[in-house]
Amino acid sequence: MVPLQLLLLVMIMKVCGGSRVTDSHTERPRIKRYAINPVGHKWTHHNITYRIIKFPNTLNADDTRKAISIAFTKWSDVSPLTFCEVTDGNATADITIGFYTFNHTDCWSSPLHPCFDGLNGELAHAFLPPRGEIHFDNHEFWILGKSRFSWKQGVWLNDLVQVAAHEIGHALGLWHSRDPQALMHPNATYTGQRNVAQDDIWGIQRLYGCLDKKRVCDPWARLGFCERRKTFMKKNCPQRCDLCFEPLEAVATPTPPPANVKIKMVPRGKVVGFRCGTKNPRSPPKVSWYKDGEQILTSIPGYIIMKGRDLRIVANEFNEGVYTCRIHRRGDIISANSWAIRLKPEEPSNS
């Protein structure tokens, strides 16, 4: 059996440079851009507790608690989840939060738990459920307020609310979104996005469902508010009006595999390997891997192992799908290969 700690994926949030990212397709029909971790990890209960076990050097305890509380509220406002801080040092909590420097806990011994890199660069990272840990780089200058550059100190002052809200999304089971307006977009730190966007709401509600916020939802629905005041009812009575999720026609369908891709039936638990392209030591190309159109950004030990031209998966319900490798050179895709993997039906037991 694979140890539990090897099944945990660390989500890393970095400061991204370059030009501001904008959405040039805002007038086109909305498509699904959020990503739920392919392993399917999520909390099995809705009343989630958290505890701050190590505070930052640049922000007092009261403001730290306030910032973290605001960040959690952004998710409780759009989902059935509730969050409560545990202050008793002896009590356990679902999610633990700490501010650390280079070497913290087990980062030197685990490839899934990177050490921090000092001032600037990586700000924080989080672990999927059920591990429930969020780590912030204590070399950074954390503040309660919007991120800005301090000319007096010569450093960036980082908005703890914004970064914490992004990392909480990972600790609840979300991956990075492709929507540049989303809080879960990897460039959210650079763009300054502080609030959950519609794409984030769709993602969290896909994991945990939604609850009506008002007791008068039934009378409002009978008055026709579901159709005439859709935005208002989506905020207050999404369950009553069946507005929890985006319409099915707005969800991007994965690109079908090429006609020459054969479906391979694999027994549950078998390790399946793929190799992308041929080895070229003189000019090694860049290789990217995709599952059902979503890019695989990192390995998930116990499920998906990605190393250069090679990809290995363990056949199970989460890993069924179409795997595609693309070879890039000088920014162009020079070749692509796809494999369709399906679970072989298990034979009924004779007992």
Side-chain angles (χ1 to χ4, degrees), residues 269-345:
K270 182 179 179 180
V271 176
V272 184
F274 313 100
R275 173 157 289 186
C276 190
T278 57
K279 189 173 182 179
N280 185 353
R282 291 184 179 179
S283 178
K286 179 182 177 182
V287 174
S288 56
W289 289 95
Y290 299 80
K291 178 180 182 293
D292 296 330
E294 294 281 353
Q295 187 172 3
I296 305 172
L297 298 176
T298 185
S299 299
I300 309 176
Y303 290 86
I304 299 173
I305 301 296
M306 179 175 58
K307 187 175 182 180
R309 300 185 304 124
D310 297 307
L311 182 79
R312 287 182 297 160
I313 68 167
V314 177
N316 55 35
E317 290 83 355
F318 296 117
N319 285 344
E320 283 189 300
V322 177
Y323 291 83
T324 302
C325 82
R326 295 176 182 172
I327 300 178
H328 309 257
R329 185 171 282 118
R330 298 184 182 89
D332 297 324
I333 299 175
I334 60 174
S335 68
N337 295 297
S338 294
W339 301 267
I341 300 299
R342 298 288 184 271
L343 279 183
K344 181 180 292 186

Side-chain angles (χ1 to χ4, degrees), residues 103-139:
N103 178 26
H104 58 285
T105 60
D106 61 347
C107 76
W108 280 359
S109 61
S110 171
L112 289 185
H113 187 174
C115 301
F116 283 124
D117 52 7
L119 192 62
N120 299 324
E122 184 187 350
L123 298 180
H125 50 233
F127 294 82
L128 294 174
R131 179 160 178 170
E133 291 183 32
I134 302 175
H135 302 159
F136 297 90
D137 190 344
N138 204 22
H139 278 116

Side-chain angles (χ1 to χ4, degrees), residues 129-261:
R131 179 160 178 170
E133 291 183 32
I134 302 175
H135 302 159
F136 297 90
D137 190 344
N138 204 22
H139 278 116
E140 307 294 344
F141 284 73
W142 298 102
I143 62 170
L144 179 58
K146 291 188 177 181
S147 296
R148 61 187 183 273
F149 186 78
S150 170
W151 293 101
K152 181 179 179 180
Q153 297 171 277
V155 296
W156 276 99
L157 307 179
N158 296 295
D159 177 5
L160 181 55
V161 172
Q162 192 273 339
V163 178
H166 178 102
E167 297 302 330
I168 289 168
H170 290 319
L172 298 177
L174 294 177
W175 266 11
H176 283 138
S177 168
R178 291 179 293 165
D179 183 351
Q181 305 303 319
L183 177 64
M184 295 310 297
H185 191 272
N187 280 4
T189 301
Y190 178 73
T191 59
Q193 175 67 5
R194 299 182 93 238
N195 299 311
V196 294
Q198 185 60 63
D199 201 70
D200 303 305
I201 296 172
W202 285 336
I204 199 67
Q205 292 183 351
R206 280 289 178 188
L207 275 175
Y208 298 101
C210 66
L211 292 178
D212 294 338
K213 302 292 184 181
K214 303 291 184 182
R215 295 182 180 180
V216 290
C217 290
D218 285 339
W220 284 346
R222 287 193 292 270
L223 290 173
F225 281 16
C226 290
E227 292 75 27
R228 293 190 287 112
R229 301 189 62 185
K230 188 173 181 179
T231 301
F232 174 81
M233 294 298 277
K234 186 174 182 65
K235 178 179 180 181
N236 295 288
C237 308
Q239 193 175 57
R240 178 63 178 81
C241 296
D242 196 23
L243 297 172
C244 280
F245 312 125
E246 72 271 36
L248 291 178
E249 62 270 16
V251 177
T253 8
T255 305
N260 59 346
V261 174

